Amino acid sequence: MSLHTLTIKQLRAKLSAREVSPKEAVQSVLKSIESRDSKIKGYLRVNAEDALNQAEKADVTKPLGGVPIAIKDNINVKGERCTCASKILEHYVAPYDATVIQKLKAAGAILLGRTNMDEFAMGSSTENSAYQETRNPWNTEYIPGGSSGGSAAVVAADEAIAALGSDTGGSIRQPAALCGCVGMKPTYGRVSRYGLVAFASSLDQIGPFSKTVEDNALLLNVIAGQDPMENTSRPVAVPDFTAGLGKPVKGLKIGIPTEYFIDGMDKEVEASVRKSIDWFESQGAEIVKISLPHTRAAIAVYYIIATAEASANLARFDGVRYGLRSPEGSDPLSVYRKTRALGFGSEVKRRIILGTYVLSSGYYDAYYNRAQKVRQLLRRDFTEAFKKCDLILTPTSPTPAFKAGEKSDPLQMYLADIFTIAVNLAEVCGISLPCGFSGKNLPIGLQLIGPHFEEVKLLQAAHAYEQAHDWFKRRPKFQE
Amino acid sequence: MKSQTLNVAYVAGLARMELTKEEEALFQTQLGNILEYVEQLQQIDASSVPDTPVDPNLPTNVLRSDEVKPSLPVADALQNAPKKANNLFVMPKIVE
């Protein structure tokens, strides 16, 4: 039975009715991984034996009881390696569970294995992993997006029922768009970051990947909530995120920011997104023109703030407490310098240097302080926009997936996140879902953005659109 | 602002990271381009934002109660250390 092709909801129904066992579900997914992952390379490690053991004990009465889920390799799972796809953490074994992992385990989920990513979540293509390059299940000559490209690819390829990723500047939504699945960045503070290896702490957020919007809500139901171990997780009530599903979009005000429909955007992407706007209008949603005037500055702000925070967060990788240590260093300073040279890849080094520079004496005000101020302006843009509309609709990515190796210039690569980054800077929530396919049969993503802690409304609108279209039913073809 | 003020070799020293000559040359060019790009921020009028931007939406003092709880066992905290002895991380000698 092709249990690996099911959604969380479908699999839960079969498990609850005892039509199938968790072991059968795991076996089906493992078989899919075995036949497909040598081409996709979405997983860094698959815990086949452990997953089968978890299945033996799975309690199918729990919310995710018996559901096999993949985890991005920057989230700590006790007793498992957590490498962040970096050589510097190649042998690092997590001594504790991240809060989201505790919650998944408590909900009965089966942890399948660890998905590939750009090293330390720095990248937009999953070509920056120290171990392997993940490819797009729709066409393996193309990248899956990044940095959670492994999580997106394994969900799209039916190598997991769902997955967790992390989103610092679009790292869930952009790969979800390019792989044709659903990915959400919840509001900053909605999901605990405790146990997520920090990249840029004021931007990072863990979120769900799934095949459908409803599954996304089901996963968010499990992982959301304030955490005493994480003081940026917010004391906000956790609603039932499925509460809005099935409700119509009539009366919703959908804002269309003029700044997100730019010259140079792929024509097929623009056409698909404009069709989705027409659909919302046809269903009685009110389409409102809005402006987010500081949009053009978002990438510049992001690359100052994110690299500044990364340079501080990654200072801990010094060869002393965990991971790699260069055998060549003869004094502490040379141990630090040689270990970091040996352990980090190019993109990580580049960002650490940029971050160190913008924080250094004499340049702090010109770069970092200025970026923080413009971040406040960006945030105000969203506050003002949400006075005029309930949700904002944009493309997720300016283009469908690009070919592996196509973008070698870092600045060009950074521009791939142009439509997602401002959401992280403003700390609001955003979701990407499929809204079409290019002429080359590559998925196109639609982004809906909601105000702080309005995920219910976001999921309501996304679900209504999804159910009226059949994009999510299309699956990549595999020769097996 | 002049992005030319970036001296990659010097900043790599601040970041405690050794670079090869090839990396230095490559990053010098790439980061120069990136800094030129981010200098567009100088053109934006941010005078309406206070010098110390504070997000009014963030609650203050999100703290948990001050209770003593068990911490990570020493053995667990040390399990990933490249070198350890007597419940301590071992490093090359610092003093001459």
Side-chain angles (χ1 to χ4, degrees):
Chain A
M1 188 183 282
S2 305
L3 299 177
H4 56 280
T5 61
L6 300 181
T7 64
I8 294 177
K9 192 187 177 193
Q10 291 166 339
L11 180 59
R12 286 286 307 132
K14 286 186 183 297
L15 289 164
S16 297
R18 318 275 170 176
E19 284 174 34
V20 298
S21 69
K23 193 175 174 185
E24 286 171 306
V26 170
Q27 282 170 332
S28 178
V29 173
L30 289 175
K31 205 174 159 197
S32 170
I33 294 170
E34 198 182 322
S35 65
R36 296 173 183 181
D37 208 54
S38 58
K39 290 184 190 122
I40 308 294
K41 294 188 166 64
Y43 281 99
L44 285 171
R45 295 176 300 285
V46 179
N47 305 332
E49 199 179 323
D50 184 52
L52 288 166
N53 286 336
Q54 293 175 60
E56 296 282 356
K57 299 170 202 155
D59 179 353
V60 296
T61 64
K62 290 183 171 177
L64 293 176
V67 178
I69 290 179
I71 308 293
K72 189 176 181 180
D73 204 31
N74 59 352
I75 300 173
N76 281 279
V77 179
K78 190 176 180 177
E80 279 189 17
R81 282 166 66 204
C82 178
T83 70
C84 293
S86 179
K87 289 282 180 199
I88 209 160
L89 286 174
E90 187 169 5
H91 302 294
Y92 175 78
V93 176
Y96 66 98
D97 275 332
T99 297
V100 291
I101 298 299
Q102 287 175 25
K103 286 173 179 258
L104 283 185
K105 285 180 175 175
I110 293 170
L111 307 184
L112 271 175
R114 312 309 295 268
T115 54
N116 194 28
M117 56 187 280
D118 284 308
E119 185 179 1
F120 283 104
M122 298 179 185
S124 308
S125 66
T126 314
E127 291 170 293
N128 290 332
S129 165
Y131 301 103
Q132 62 195 30
E133 286 183 19
T134 299
R135 293 299 172 89
N136 194 309
W138 291 90
N139 185 332
T140 51
E141 286 180 20
Y142 289 77
I143 56 94
S147 66
S148 310
S151 290
V154 300
V155 171
D158 293 320
E159 294 180 39
I161 304 299
L164 287 190
S166 68
D167 190 315
T168 305
S171 282
I172 290 175
R173 290 158 290 152
Q174 187 253 16
L178 303 194
C179 289
C181 51
V182 182
M184 181 198 278
K185 186 207 86 75
T187 307
Y188 183 77
R190 175 64 98 183
V191 177
S192 170
R193 292 180 299 108
Y194 178 71
L196 170 71
V197 179
F199 157 21
S201 310
S202 78
L203 302 163
D204 297 339
Q205 190 61 201
I206 294 173
F209 280 99
S210 58
K211 299 173 188 176
T212 65
V213 173
E214 183 164 12
D215 278 9
N216 218 270
L218 291 170
L219 254 182
L220 190 60
N221 270 351
V222 169
I223 63 172
Q226 198 196 6
D227 178 9
M229 299 300 283
E230 208 262 85
N231 67 4
T232 61
S233 77
R234 296 278 297 274
V236 178
V238 178
D240 176 358
F241 292 105
T242 63
L245 305 185
K247 289 186 184 170
V249 294
K250 192 174 180 186
L252 272 185
K253 287 186 182 172
I254 309 269
I256 311 297
T258 47
E259 295 83 358
Y260 279 63
F261 292 85
I262 53 174
D263 286 343
M265 185 162 73
D266 182 276
K267 295 292 170 215
E268 290 179 313
V269 170
E270 182 167 2
S272 292
V273 174
R274 290 209 183 275
K275 265 190 193 170
S276 68
I277 296 170
D278 293 343
W279 180 85
F280 276 103
E281 194 165 27
S282 75
Q283 298 304 302
E286 189 183 337
I287 304 300
V288 189
K289 261 193 182 175
I290 56 161
S291 176
L292 297 166
H294 295 92
T295 296
R296 280 192 64 190
I299 288 184
V301 172
Y302 175 85
Y303 279 97
I304 291 173
I305 292 175
T307 58
E309 293 184 16
S311 73
N313 275 324
L314 271 61
R316 74 189 60 167
F317 301 109
D318 53 11
V320 178
R321 285 156 296 165
Y322 26 65
L324 184 80
R325 177 184 291 184
S326 165
E328 289 178 27
S330 56
D331 60 273
L333 194 56
S334 66
V335 167
Y336 305 153
R337 289 166 54 87
K338 289 180 187 299
T339 298
R340 289 157 70 78
L342 197 63
F344 290 138
S346 281
E347 184 60 28
V348 176
K349 287 177 183 170
R350 194 161 31 237
R351 293 198 195 195
I352 287 175
I353 289 169
L354 182 59
T356 305
Y357 176 70
V358 299
L359 288 177
S360 63
S361 173
Y363 304 106
Y364 177 91
D365 278 334
Y367 288 114
Y368 183 75
N369 219 4
R370 163 67 46 164
Q372 285 292 15
K373 286 189 174 189
V374 180
R375 180 178 186 174
Q376 290 303 313
L377 295 175
L378 271 157
R379 197 183 164 99
R380 280 185 205 168
D381 286 355
F382 279 93
T383 307
E384 288 305 309
F386 284 126
K387 287 177 184 166
K388 296 178 191 146
C389 60
D390 299 300
L391 300 171
I392 296 171
L393 190 155
T394 77
T396 310
S397 163
T399 64
F402 46 92
K403 277 192 172 172
E406 191 177 314
K407 293 191 182 183
S408 55
D409 174 41
L411 191 53
Q412 284 307 310
M413 186 72 92
Y414 296 171
L415 293 170
D417 292 337
I418 192 163
F419 296 144
T420 51
I421 271 176
V423 171
N424 300 72
L425 291 166
E427 301 175 9
V428 292
C429 52
I431 192 168
S432 178
L433 66 156
C435 73
F437 283 81
S438 72
K440 290 178 180 167
N441 200 33
L442 291 166
I444 294 171
L446 158 73
Q447 178 175 233
L448 288 164
I449 303 167
H452 298 101
F453 300 103
E454 292 283 0
E455 286 89 351
V456 171
K457 208 178 283 177
L458 198 64
L459 289 157
Q460 174 193 337
H463 185 255
Y465 175 83
E466 176 194 70
Q467 293 301 307
H469 298 81
D470 68 352
W471 309 120
F472 75 101
K473 291 181 182 159
R474 295 201 197 178
R475 314 301 300 164
K477 288 190 173 63
F478 295 93
Q479 289 181 331
E480 289 168 12
Chain B
M1 250 346 273
K2 291 271 191 291
S3 58
Q4 289 86 341
T5 57
L6 171 66
N7 177 338
V8 166
Y10 175 73
V11 178
L14 293 178
R16 304 284 188 256
M17 200 160 59
E18 205 168 79
L19 297 180
T20 62
K21 288 290 168 206
E22 291 76 25
E23 283 176 325
E24 273 178 26
L26 180 67
F27 292 167
Q28 191 70 49
T29 309
Q30 290 175 333
L31 293 175
N33 292 341
I34 293 167
L35 284 170
E36 239 169 68
Y37 179 80
V38 302
E39 277 167 20
Q40 63 174 280
L41 296 183
Q42 308 305 325
Q43 312 305 320
I44 295 172
D45 177 9
S47 56
S48 61
V49 181
D51 275 342
T52 318
V54 175
D55 179 353
N57 296 306
L58 284 177
T60 52
N61 297 332
V62 182
L63 302 171
R64 61 179 181 266
S65 54
D66 189 14
E67 293 165 10
V68 177
K69 288 182 181 169
S71 58
L72 204 61
V74 173
D76 290 0
L78 282 169
Q79 75 180 17
N80 288 292
K83 280 189 183 175
K84 59 193 166 189
N86 304 325
N87 281 349
L88 297 166
F89 297 103
V90 174
M91 278 291 284
K93 196 165 72 172
I94 293 174
V95 290
E96 294 288 320

